[in-house]
Amino acid sequence: MNSNIIKSIDIIPNNNNNNNNSVSTVNTNSSVINNNNNNNYNNNSISNGNNERIKVFIVHGHNNIVREKVSKFLFEMGFEPILLFEKPNNGQTIIEKLEKEISNCKFGIVIMSPDNKAFTKKDSNSDYVEIAYPRLNVVFEFGYLIGKFGRSNVIYLSVPYNGKSQNYDLPSDLLGYVWINYTEDLKELENEINFGNYKKL
């Protein structure tokens, strides 16, 4: 994406809850675009040596509101967010498409949201209890990004469940991974990016 041409972006979520694969409308304009709250966006791009925005791969589940908010936030910070479903298929398998798009990115953000529910018990004498967990493709892509970029270049953004962050079931291999809490103002995510090395990749 040429940051000298596209100066701002306004992502309009598709509110049709019956279609989780629906593509949101993206409006670009050479001038500053106001959102519904009439706030101006800061569109100073963070570029690599070729004057291209640094690309960030976003892993997400079915929480479309959080997905669009994070994507929009990253663009405002100067990055180019990459969402797999927005890219053309070109006859590729899903894993081929995933590998191709991730190969063009410098770091990743994994949005862990409790999209699925199940019942489990700690041992044979315990009662079943309800748990929530992210979609399995999110967990798989989380591991793929760690292998591709290294742990230091993968941000784990946890969406609260029942009022608590990371209050859902994950593979034990990921339980020691320090996460960033999702909040409406995305302040923790902003701090992680600003004080990390993500702008210098």
Side-chain angles (χ1 to χ4, degrees):
M1 183 179 293
N2 189 332
S3 60
N4 293 323
I5 297 176
I6 298 178
K7 298 299 183 182
S8 60
I9 188 168
D10 188 15
I11 302 177
I12 306 170
N14 188 324
N15 294 321
N16 183 358
N17 294 326
N18 295 324
N19 184 0
N20 288 322
N21 295 319
S22 59
V23 178
S24 300
T25 303
V26 179
N27 294 329
T28 57
N29 196 296
S30 59
S31 60
V32 174
I33 300 175
N34 292 332
N35 63 6
N36 292 332
N37 296 323
N38 294 321
N39 293 325
N40 290 334
Y41 302 152
N42 179 4
N43 297 293
N44 296 323
S45 62
I46 300 171
S47 60
N48 56 24
N50 298 322
N51 292 323
E52 297 176 344
R53 284 176 176 250
I54 292 177
K55 295 181 179 180
V56 187
F57 192 85
I58 300 177
V59 175
H60 61 88
H62 281 173
N63 194 322
N64 296 342
I65 295 175
V66 173
R67 179 196 71 203
E68 297 298 344
K69 188 166 186 175
V70 170
S71 178
K72 186 176 182 179
F73 179 78
L74 288 170
F75 191 92
E76 292 170 7
M77 289 194 73
F79 297 101
E80 181 180 350
I82 301 298
L83 295 165
L84 191 64
F85 77 95
E86 292 183 341
K87 299 301 179 181
N89 296 321
N90 293 329
Q92 303 170 100
T93 63
I94 294 177
I95 190 65
E96 288 172 336
K97 184 178 178 182
L98 182 70
E99 290 171 340
K100 176 183 177 182
E101 296 303 331
I102 289 178
S103 68
N104 295 322
C105 297
K106 294 296 185 181
F107 70 98
I109 295 179
V110 179
I111 302 173
M112 285 283 192
S113 56
D115 297 319
N116 298 334
K117 289 185 178 181
F119 290 89
T120 187
K121 56 182 182 179
K122 294 181 179 180
D123 53 58
S124 59
N125 296 321
S126 302
D127 294 330
Y128 281 100
V129 294
E130 185 180 85
I131 59 170
Y133 60 96
R135 291 183 59 77
L136 296 182
N137 69 291
V138 172
V139 178
F140 171 80
E141 291 172 25
F142 190 3
Y144 188 95
L145 290 186
I146 291 174
K148 179 69 175 179
F149 300 136
R151 293 194 310 274
S152 61
N153 292 323
V154 180
I155 299 174
Y156 171 5
L157 186 64
S158 179
V159 179
Y161 172 61
N162 284 346
K164 297 180 180 179
S165 292
Q166 209 190 26
N167 189 26
Y168 43 88
D169 193 53
L170 287 175
S172 58
D173 292 345
L174 296 176
L175 294 182
Y177 207 103
V178 180
W179 68 89
I180 302 298
N181 291 310
Y182 171 80
T183 55
E184 288 297 320
D185 60 4
L186 292 173
K187 191 63 179 179
E188 288 193 36
L189 178 60
E190 181 181 17
N191 289 339
E192 176 70 15
I193 293 175
N194 284 335
F195 294 110
N197 294 318
Y198 305 103
K199 293 182 178 181
K200 301 176 182 178
L201 295 174

